[in-house]
Amino acid sequence: MYHLTALVTLLAIAFYFFTCIYVSRSRSKTGVKAPAMSGHPDFERAFRIQMNTLEWMPIFLPALWLFAIYVSNAGAAAIGAVWIVGRIVYFIGYSQAAAKRGPGFAIQATAAIALWAGALGAVVLRLV
């Protein structure tokens, strides 16, 4: 069973939901009315946090599950947890200033690439 990977998946979705709420609150706080996508820098950073998280979900989630299936459920969950921590670090940094987003981005990108590379390697090994 893949309970650990399922838990990480649910936590990733919860984090994404949190970023959606953050954007909504930022929109209200800064006065950026829908459908505007720009205006106040605080809103723009909040929006980019949400969108960047969304952009990485289709990379992260399939890689997470393929790693769990072909390599290790616990390993996938551990690396997936690192991805979530990276997204949180990204959120904190980018919320303060665009220049502070790098460390969180690097953490989550490294975790996603590790999941993808591990899954790819395991699948290829089974094919040969």
Side-chain angles (χ1 to χ4, degrees):
M1 300 297 284
Y2 300 98
H3 300 304
L4 294 173
T5 301
L7 178 61
V8 168
T9 300
L10 293 168
L11 291 173
I13 293 167
F15 177 75
Y16 178 70
F17 184 67
F18 169 78
T19 67
C20 294
I21 293 168
Y22 182 68
V23 169
S24 178
R25 288 183 177 163
S26 179
R27 189 178 284 281
S28 295
K29 180 179 172 185
T30 60
V32 177
K33 303 291 182 203
M37 304 308 284
S38 63
H40 195 282
D42 290 347
F43 168 75
E44 290 178 12
R45 286 194 311 275
F47 182 70
R48 282 308 310 148
I49 291 166
Q50 178 197 15
M51 287 296 99
N52 189 264
T53 302
L54 179 61
E55 291 160 3
W56 275 90
M57 295 286 271
I59 298 167
F60 168 68
L61 290 173
L64 174 73
W65 279 94
L66 290 168
F67 191 100
I69 292 165
Y70 284 94
V71 180
S72 164
N73 175 48
I79 299 169
V82 170
W83 185 86
I84 294 169
V85 168
R87 293 310 310 174
I88 293 168
V89 171
Y90 180 87
F91 171 85
I92 292 167
Y94 208 170
S95 293
Q96 296 170 358
K100 294 183 178 184
R101 72 188 190 279
F105 186 87
I107 293 167
Q108 66 89 39
T110 301
I113 291 166
L115 289 167
W116 178 83
L120 177 63
V123 169
V124 168
L125 283 176
R126 284 180 172 76
L127 288 173
V128 294

